Amino acid sequence: MFDRQDDAWHGFASESVWATNLGKGLFKMENSLFFAKGVSFEDIVETQLIDGRNTFVKTITRSGHSTYRIVTVANCIPEAFERFWRPLQNAGCLFESGDFGFVLYSVDVPANADISLVYALLEEGERNGIWDFEEAHFGHSVI
């Protein structure tokens, strides 16, 4: 469980995620988060049992993945989204989507993906009025 952060724009008090229990309060993240920042798919996190919930404390091991969030513009048609999403998919990105009164996409960028290309593609979608995006966690190594 991730409790809402102070700068949260979405209004949700907490977020639950899929994770594999590694024992001793450690969990491996098994999905991309929609609202929490600073954590990505396959990171290993430490939790503390609070009110019967395993609640996030800190990240122990980074996976090298990055996470971005996309919200499509109000008049975006599915074909337009697909046309701009396809290059991101070809770059290795995957997404999960959820309807929270607005459709939100949590985009996983694998550690081996070209993060500069991915960011440029996200900017292209925004420039063309397809979506707005934000960085939830930058986990890539940049040399």
Side-chain angles (χ1 to χ4, degrees):
M1 185 67 65
F2 287 78
D3 290 327
R4 184 167 90 179
Q5 297 165 326
D6 292 337
D7 63 346
W9 55 266
H10 48 76
F12 289 91
S14 62
E15 177 177 8
S16 61
V17 297
W18 293 102
T20 299
N21 188 341
L22 302 176
K24 297 184 180 181
L26 300 180
F27 289 82
K28 181 178 178 183
M29 304 301 300
E30 297 294 350
N31 68 314
S32 294
L33 290 93
F34 285 103
F35 300 117
K37 293 182 177 181
V39 180
S40 287
F41 177 63
E42 295 188 340
D43 285 356
I44 296 175
V45 300
E46 179 183 328
T47 66
Q48 181 178 4
L49 198 59
I50 301 173
D51 296 330
R53 306 179 323 171
N54 290 299
T55 303
F56 174 79
V57 173
K58 65 182 177 181
T59 302
I60 299 298
T61 305
R62 300 278 183 197
S63 63
H65 289 235
S66 293
T67 304
Y68 290 86
R69 297 192 187 102
I70 292 174
V71 176
T72 56
V73 297
N75 60 350
C76 181
I77 60 173
E79 295 80 12
F81 175 83
E82 179 61 30
R83 184 166 62 89
F84 282 86
W85 170 256
R86 200 170 304 117
L88 285 162
Q89 183 177 10
N90 292 341
C93 298
L94 299 171
F95 72 76
E96 295 184 45
S97 63
D99 188 339
F100 303 94
F102 53 91
V103 177
L104 180 63
Y105 297 87
S106 179
V107 179
D108 172 54
V109 185
N112 62 353
D114 180 343
I115 193 65
S116 296
L117 171 63
V118 167
Y119 197 86
L121 293 168
L122 288 165
E123 287 182 315
E124 184 178 353
E126 189 169 71
R127 242 186 343 271
N128 283 277
I130 303 301
W131 56 56
D132 291 317
F133 79 96
E134 72 174 4
E135 183 176 276
H137 177 250
F138 185 84
H140 278 74
S141 295
V142 179
I143 298 174

